């Protein structure tokens, strides 16, 4: 064995050396002179690619975040504008309520004072939001549904009646829209197109309308969308400038990092160059010894092979004797029960003869039983011989017929020991495997179950054989009521030469050979479990 290890080590050295030579040919452009430069170039390419990718994704993500922030800003800005408009109207209504409560004048006078007050509210030229008031005459809308009391932008309409059927430049009946909300909620946010202050331009406007039920007034204030968009544009430019500045700063930082990395790589490559030169000197000093080793390597391999040839022959011869011994032991194990069957048949014939009750029919029956047992013994030799032969062919056979063949051998032994066996096998099930080996496995398992039932003196002993079929496998179950397997782990019963019987009653080969046959020869599985009553063997055969 030591010689074999040396041989394997030498062969491994040869293979490694050949791989080394092959790599040297394939990568011959990498030499000691240019390896440091190659390291620098590769590192620069990798780092530059990484920096470019990082910069690209950073810029992309930054501008995506910028768009998201602007979208959020726009939503918040419009929301704040609506809140601001509502606060203005709430303030106006609070003032109106305060004046109406405080004044000692009648209601009409208070209303006239309030109209004058709202008309005199300062109206800045640069601001486009202003207060306007409708006196509602018909809450349901229609022509002349209201009279315009206050509107600094449209003094030509003051005191005139207005209609909900009026449409803006886009065809929207905005008065009808805000009145629908007024009737339901008492307030409304409505967008529409209207003339802008101090100009003749029609711009989109957002207004807030609130109903003052005490005087049947609708008090409103609005803001033009272009003013909002102008403020948003200013903020957009400020934010964009800040983002661009941040992007430039980070890209410069990335470039600085790349420069530092390149400088470090140059210093490292110089150190690697020095190490390689030192290594080259060592390799040159050992090249002569390596050359001599290569020249003698083949001779050493031949010598080791010659030395181990005789040892290998001895190992082969020994393995043959071991296999032959196992086969003889297995045949002896399988013949023990048939010999017992033959002994029972001969004793029965002798007994009947001594009693003078041996007629021709009885003699023929027992002769046929003896012939079947002898035929099985002959088949056993063939089965084991075929098992050790490399060429074997599977065949398709009926499972029920195979079980009947097994019962001709074991049935008398079971009945003599009052063991009831039940076979529930569909007559239409066919297996495609080695019939002799399959019958040998099932017979082994039933025989072991019989021995356990006899040894434990189980009352009303029974053995059941039944099947289960699915898409891929056919499973044959062999179950008994012998109390189950107490060995832990249970799979230990499949180990060679393991037995719970006395030395004279078993060799521990039967279940080992059965599992070997099923798992290796039949590509199936042999398992064992403990059921409610005893042991249950499962022979799983693929279809």
């Amino acid at each position: 064995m030591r010689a074999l290890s040396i041989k394997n080590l030498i062969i491994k050295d040869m293979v490694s050396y050949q791989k080394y030579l092959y790599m040297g040919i394939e990568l011959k452009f990498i030499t000691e002179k240019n390896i440091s430069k190659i390291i620098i170039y590769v590192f620069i390419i990798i780092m530059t690619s990484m920096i470019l990718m990082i910069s690209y994704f950073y810029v992309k993500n930054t501008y995506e975040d910028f768009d998201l922030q602007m979208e959020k800003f726009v939503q918040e800005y419009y929301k704040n504008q609506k809140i601001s408009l509502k606060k203005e109207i709430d303030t106006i209504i609070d003032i109106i309520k305060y004046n109406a409560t405080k004044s000692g004048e009648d209601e009409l006078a208070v209303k006239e004072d309030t109209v004058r007050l709202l008309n005199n509210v300062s109206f800045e030229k640069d601001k486009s939001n202003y207060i306007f008031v409708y006196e509602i005459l018909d809450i349901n809308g229609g022509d002349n549904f209201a009279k315009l009391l206050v509107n600094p932008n449209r003094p030509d309409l003051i005191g005139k009646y207005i209609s909900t059927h009026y449409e803006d430049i886009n065809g929207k009946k905005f008065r009808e829209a805000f009145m629908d909300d007024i009737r339901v909620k008492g307030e409304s946010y409505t967008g529409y197109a209207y003339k802008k202050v101090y100009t003749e331009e029609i711009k989109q406007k957002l207004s807030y309308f609130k109903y003052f039920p005490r005087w049947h007034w609708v008090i409103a204030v609005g803001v033009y969308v272009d003013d909002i968009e102008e403020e948003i544009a200013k903020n957009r430019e400020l934010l964009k400038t800040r983002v661009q500045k941040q992007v430039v700063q980070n890209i410069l930082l990335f470039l600085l990092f790349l420069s530092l990395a390149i400088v470090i790589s140059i210093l490292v490559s110089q150190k690697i160059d020095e190490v390689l030169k030192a290594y080259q000197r060592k390799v040159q000093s050992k090249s002569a010894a390596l050359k001599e080793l290569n020249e003698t390597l083949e001779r050493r391999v031949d010598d080791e092979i010659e030395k181990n040839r005789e040892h290998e022959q001895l190992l082969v011869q020994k393995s043959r004797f071991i296999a032959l011994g196992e086969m003889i032991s297995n045949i002896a194990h399988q013949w023990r029960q048939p010999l017992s069957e033959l002994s029972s048949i001969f004793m029965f014939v002798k007994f009947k003869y001594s009693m003078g009750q041996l007629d021709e029919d009885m003699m023929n029956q027992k002769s046929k039983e003896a012939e079947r047992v002898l035929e099985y013994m002959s088949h056993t030799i063939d089965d084991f011989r075929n098992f050790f032969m490399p060429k074997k062919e599977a065949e398709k056979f009926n499972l029920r017929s195979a079980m009947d063949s097994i019962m001709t051998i074991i049935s008398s032994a079971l009945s003599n020991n009052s063991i009831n066996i039940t076979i529930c096998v569909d007559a239409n099930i066919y297996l495609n495997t080695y019939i002799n080996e399959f019958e040998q496995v099932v017979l082994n398992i039933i025989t072991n179950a019989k021995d356990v039932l006899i040894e434990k003196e189980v009352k009303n002993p029974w053995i059941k054989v039944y099947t289960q079929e699915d898409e891929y496998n056919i499973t044959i179950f062999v179950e008994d009521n012998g109390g189950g397997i107490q060995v832990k782990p249970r799979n230990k019963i499949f180990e060679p030469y393991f037995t719970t019987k006395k030395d004279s009653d078993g060799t521990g080969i039967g279940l080992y050979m059965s599992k070997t046959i099923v798992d290796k020869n039949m590509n199936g599985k042999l398992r064992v479990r403990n059921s409610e009553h005893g042991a249950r063997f499962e022979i799983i055969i693929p279809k």
Side-chain angles (χ1 to χ4, degrees):
M1 296 300 294
R2 182 175 178 272
L4 285 173
S5 300
I6 295 173
K7 171 188 171 185
N8 294 334
L9 180 61
I10 293 172
I11 293 174
K12 183 178 180 182
D13 291 339
M14 290 184 67
V15 172
S16 300
Y17 181 66
Q18 290 175 352
K19 288 183 179 179
Y20 172 77
L21 292 176
Y22 178 76
M23 290 177 62
I25 294 172
E26 187 178 53
L27 303 176
K28 60 183 179 180
F29 64 92
I30 301 178
T31 63
E32 295 85 349
K33 294 181 180 180
N34 63 5
I35 190 169
S36 59
K37 293 181 180 179
I38 291 175
I39 291 174
I40 294 175
Y41 294 151
V42 171
F43 182 79
I44 291 175
I45 292 172
I46 293 174
M47 288 300 299
T48 304
S49 301
M50 290 177 60
I51 293 299
L52 290 176
M53 290 178 64
I54 292 172
S55 301
Y56 169 74
F57 286 111
Y58 170 76
V59 172
K60 179 182 178 183
N61 293 334
T62 300
Y63 280 104
E64 287 179 354
D65 292 341
F66 168 76
D67 293 336
L68 292 175
Q69 291 178 16
M70 282 306 306
E71 183 179 354
K72 183 178 180 181
F73 173 79
V74 170
Q75 293 175 355
E76 290 292 331
Y77 194 83
Y78 271 96
K79 181 180 179 181
N80 292 333
Q81 285 295 321
K82 289 182 177 181
I83 294 173
S84 177
L85 294 176
K86 187 176 186 303
K87 285 182 178 179
E88 291 182 21
I89 295 302
D90 289 342
T91 301
I92 294 297
I93 291 178
D94 289 341
I95 293 173
I96 293 174
K97 289 180 179 178
Y98 177 76
N99 289 336
T101 303
K102 182 178 178 181
S103 177
E105 301 177 1
D106 62 352
E107 193 82 0
L108 181 61
V110 173
K111 291 168 66 175
E112 291 176 352
D113 289 340
T114 302
V115 169
R116 284 193 297 271
L117 174 65
L118 294 177
N119 276 315
N120 292 325
V121 170
S122 62
F123 185 71
E124 300 179 22
K125 185 174 181 179
D126 295 335
K127 299 248 180 179
S128 59
N129 54 325
Y130 53 87
I131 304 297
F132 53 102
V133 180
Y134 298 99
E135 182 180 9
I136 304 301
L137 304 177
D138 186 354
I139 194 67
N140 294 317
D143 293 332
N144 301 327
F145 86 101
K147 182 166 57 175
L148 186 63
L149 300 180
V150 178
N151 191 332
N153 187 29
R154 296 295 302 275
D156 56 313
L157 297 178
I158 299 297
K160 294 184 177 181
Y161 296 97
I162 55 179
S163 171
T164 56
H165 300 306
Y166 174 79
E167 298 180 356
D168 65 6
I169 194 172
N170 297 321
K172 181 177 180 179
K173 298 180 180 180
F174 67 91
R175 290 169 181 162
E176 184 177 284
F178 77 72
M179 284 304 298
D180 289 340
D181 291 337
I182 290 294
R183 286 191 292 271
V184 176
K185 299 182 292 185
E187 61 180 358
S188 173
Y189 286 101
T190 303
Y192 55 96
Y194 204 74
K195 185 178 82 69
K196 193 170 183 181
V197 182
Y198 299 117
T199 69
E200 296 301 322
E201 295 179 322
I202 304 298
K203 297 291 185 179
Q204 195 66 25
K205 185 177 183 181
L206 174 66
S207 296
Y208 174 70
F209 301 84
K210 189 167 184 178
Y211 184 55
F212 185 49
R214 179 174 175 178
W215 292 348
H216 303 290
W217 283 8
V218 171
I219 305 173
V221 66
V223 61
Y224 287 91
V225 175
D226 61 332
D227 293 338
I228 298 176
E229 292 296 331
E230 184 178 351
E231 288 297 323
I232 292 174
K234 290 179 182 178
N235 283 277
R236 183 189 297 275
E237 288 300 320
L238 291 174
L239 183 59
K240 187 176 181 180
T241 302
R242 186 164 63 249
V243 169
Q244 289 176 343
K245 183 178 179 181
Q246 182 180 357
V247 168
V248 171
Q249 289 176 348
N250 283 284
I251 291 177
L252 291 175
L253 183 63
F254 291 156
L255 293 175
L256 177 62
F257 174 75
L258 177 61
S259 302
L260 290 174
I262 292 173
V263 172
I264 293 172
S265 68
I266 293 174
L267 296 176
V268 172
S269 66
Q270 292 176 352
K271 185 64 178 178
I272 292 175
D273 211 13
E274 295 176 1
V275 173
L276 287 176
K277 288 180 180 179
Y279 177 75
Q280 185 178 10
R281 290 191 294 270
K282 292 181 181 180
V283 170
Q284 289 175 351
S285 64
K286 294 181 180 180
S287 60
L290 181 60
K291 184 177 180 180
E292 182 180 355
L293 176 62
N294 292 334
E295 291 175 351
T296 59
L297 188 58
E298 185 176 355
R299 185 176 67 255
R300 289 171 58 191
V301 170
D302 293 337
D303 292 341
E304 291 298 330
I305 292 175
E306 186 66 26
K307 289 178 182 179
N308 287 282
R309 186 171 296 162
E310 182 179 353
H311 181 69
E312 291 175 356
Q313 292 296 328
L314 292 174
L315 289 177
V316 171
Q317 189 68 19
K318 184 177 179 181
S319 66
R320 288 176 180 173
F321 280 119
I322 291 173
L324 181 60
E326 290 179 352
M327 184 175 70
I328 294 173
S329 176
N330 293 335
I331 292 173
H333 182 75
Q334 294 298 331
W335 273 12
R336 182 174 288 107
Q337 180 61 34
L339 288 173
S340 177
E341 294 285 341
L342 283 175
S343 177
S344 298
I345 292 171
F346 291 147
M347 289 177 64
F348 181 82
V349 171
K350 184 178 179 181
F351 175 74
K352 288 291 185 181
Y353 178 76
S354 64
M355 297 294 293
Q357 298 178 357
L358 183 62
D359 54 15
E360 184 177 356
D361 292 338
M362 183 63 67
M363 187 63 187
N364 289 335
Q365 178 184 349
K366 292 301 176 181
S367 296
K368 289 180 181 179
E369 290 182 6
E371 288 174 0
R372 284 196 296 268
V373 173
L374 290 172
E375 184 180 357
Y376 167 75
M377 294 173 68
S378 176
H379 284 171
T380 299
I381 296 175
D382 293 337
D383 292 343
F384 278 93
R385 182 186 61 189
N386 293 333
F387 176 73
F388 285 96
M389 292 176 65
K391 293 184 178 180
K392 291 181 293 182
E393 294 183 359
E395 59 180 298
K396 188 175 182 180
F397 60 90
N398 184 269
L399 178 58
R400 180 70 192 190
S401 298
M403 293 304 303
D404 292 340
S405 178
I406 295 169
M407 289 308 300
T408 60
I409 299 172
I410 195 68
S411 59
S412 60
L414 295 174
S415 61
N416 290 339
N417 291 281
S418 301
I419 298 175
N420 180 34
I421 183 164
T422 304
I423 298 178
C424 299
V425 176
D426 193 337
N428 296 321
I429 296 178
Y430 286 84
L431 299 179
N432 189 13
T433 184
Y434 309 103
I435 182 171
N436 291 337
E437 294 182 1
F438 174 77
E439 291 178 353
Q440 175 188 336
V441 169
V442 177
L443 184 61
N444 280 343
I445 296 173
I446 294 176
T447 301
N448 277 315
K450 172 184 71 70
D451 294 340
V452 169
L453 294 171
I454 295 173
E455 181 183 352
K456 293 186 177 181
E457 299 180 353
V458 176
K459 294 182 179 180
N460 300 321
W462 53 260
I463 298 173
K464 294 180 181 179
V465 181
Y466 53 97
T467 60
Q468 179 178 310
E469 186 175 4
D470 58 25
E471 184 178 358
Y472 304 102
N473 302 305
I474 296 174
T475 304
I476 299 94
F477 297 93
V478 181
E479 185 176 355
D480 61 60
N481 64 336
I485 298 171
Q486 305 303 322
V487 177
K488 292 185 180 180
R490 285 193 296 271
N491 284 336
K492 192 173 182 180
I493 65 173
F494 295 119
E495 295 180 2
Y497 305 111
F498 176 82
T499 180
T500 58
K501 304 175 184 178
K502 297 179 181 178
D503 294 339
S504 60
D505 294 332
T507 61
I509 295 295
L511 290 178
Y512 164 69
M513 290 303 300
S514 297
K515 186 167 181 61
T516 302
I517 290 171
V518 175
D519 289 7
K520 294 184 178 180
N521 287 23
M522 299 181 180
N523 293 323
K525 293 179 182 179
L526 177 58
R527 297 175 177 171
V528 64
R529 306 175 190 272
N530 282 336
S531 64
E532 181 181 355
H533 305 285
R536 184 180 67 190
F537 286 83
E538 301 175 8
I539 307 170
I540 304 172
I541 306 296
K543 291 185 176 179

